[in-house]
Amino acid sequence: MYECVCVCVGATVTSTSNSESGQQCTQRPGKMRDYRPTYRSHSRLVSKSQKTVKKGEVILTSEPFAHVINFEYSSMYCNHCLGSHKTKMIHMCQGCRKNWYCSDECERLSWPIHRYECDNLKRLDPYTPPDFVRLMARVILRLRDGGDKIVEKYSQREGRRFRDLMNHYADVKNNEERKQDADYLLGELKKYIGEDFLPNYSDFLGIYGRMLVNRFCLLDKTMMNIGSAMYLSASIFDHACKPNCYISFDGKNVQIRALVDMPNFSYSKCRISYTDPVCSVTSRRENLYKKWFFWCDCSFCHDEGRVKFENTIKCENVNCQAPVTVPEMSRWKRAAWQQKATTNGEQQKETTKDEQQKTWGNEIQRKPSTEEKQRDKQQQNGKQQRDNQRQEEEEEEPPACSVCNCPVSDLAIRQYQLAVTFTKEKLSTMSEENPTLESCLEILEKQDNFSSMNVWRVRTTDFAFNACVYNGCWIRALTYGEENLCGMRYYYGSEHPTLGLFLFKLGKAKIYFKEFRDGIRCLEEAEPHVVNGLGPNHPIVEDLRLTSLMANEDIEICLERRIAAANKRQMEITAKENNVFNYKRELEKIFKYTSPVA
């Protein structure tokens, strides 16, 4: 399962084929050019002229270089424009019967790339290649068909080609897990489009690396992930756990909006979030390094206050119950486990070496190579560092409550670690768009001693909240939403559009149970955040305004609004009368002091 890079633009320059719709192309694409050179994305983003960007303004719009609809949703959306079957009548491709289109025009525009995959999809039927394989095939075919010359502009003078995307070639090549994944994909592509269409292995790793770190999720109008895409100019944005820009979609085109006012706008100052901020610093940084090959060093990752809240349990003193900070993974236990694993590994290596020497014969005395000497030296240094670290950590005192000074027992720490491990495993198998309520309840049961501000508790409760909303369990949704409101405000911040979406759903839950005043307050707070992130014409914004309008039609709300309007009119009339009276008094004073003496 692949994770999409949610990183998110002006004029675009695209290239299309001159082949007519319906004609089978027998000519093979030209030879692929070398596009290995790369550079840092922000090295060319210095803006020549400074301009002001306001909150909610679109700073970049980009068309996809290549995109695919996930196979499970392929019959629900147009393969070209992403039009939904709920609003348009769609039909399948008569050749492969895999892709669906909303019109003949969309089918014609999709043909320059689909012509290469149509027969192959038909040949492999009923088997369908994985979604990432289909996207990678489209990228390769687009490059061989002249896509390496396409430049997408992000300013009047500057643009990006596919070769300008970061490829992390060395990181991919030196990572055994990624290499195995690349080899698997290469085998799947050979079965799908044939070996003749594939580049050499070095270029293939370059394409794989670019797709790995620059791929986007495709979201529909309901913010559900339905596919993935590659964008050229939209790949210029770097990551920050507290972003100042947000991603939204208009069909298949991606839009980046500013979340804050930028007086001196520059693309080098724009940041988006690659991951969900509701995650511990350790897990978030490890996830970023694993998927995008960098260690985040933003202010959120160094905020000690947030770190203290992230891993907290309730005080074991039943009369206190204050949040107590505990390590996500006990450092002294982790050091002991690492030491034990390292010792077992060293013993196994020594045993293997002794067996090899016995096999070769005692008369053979092999001198160690330079690499072996260097490796032995590194192992000795690492062992010494681990011993020092273990000694320092064993001397540390266990955590204790800052209110009642009640120490946290080793059993509570161990239970917390097991619960966090269980939570991570369960959440990794769930979809954020449609989580499983039963699994969420199972996780929450394990988190019984977590504090309400614990990051894993907040994340799990949000999954449970969304699961209840999707399944119509409004009473549970209202309970989880009210319980999680403080945590969502804290971890997302007051301006994040995701907080606005959460408040929108919470407001709908309150309105469902006739709590109109609280529901309207939630909707009023949510609207500016959602508008800034998604735009004023997004379907979710229209749904929010319609919900607010319906809630305002309640009889009591209407009466309160009428009374408030009447009071406002009365205050305005009183203010006018007071102004006239004061004006007359001032005229009398002036006349008195300026009148002639009798």
Side-chain angles (χ1 to χ4, degrees), residues 8 29 152 168 183 189 194 198 201 214 247 325 357 389 458 551 566:
C8 306
E152 187 173 34
H168 290 278
D183 293 339
L189 285 167
L198 297 178
Y201 190 70
N214 293 288
I247 308 163
T325 303
Q357 289 180 352
Q389 183 180 3
V458 172

Side-chain angles (χ1 to χ4, degrees), residues 171-185:
D171 295 317
V172 172
K173 192 173 182 180
N174 296 329
N175 189 313
E176 190 62 30
E177 182 181 355
R178 292 300 182 192
K179 277 201 66 178
Q180 292 179 0
D181 186 39
D183 293 339
Y184 163 76
L185 293 173

Side-chain angles (χ1 to χ4, degrees), residues 379-395:
Q379 291 178 354
Q380 292 177 0
N381 294 337
K383 184 178 180 181
Q384 184 64 32
Q385 290 177 0
R386 288 192 296 271
D387 292 339
N388 295 337
Q389 183 180 3
R390 182 179 60 179
Q391 185 176 0
E392 292 176 358
E393 292 172 345
E394 286 176 350
E395 293 175 357

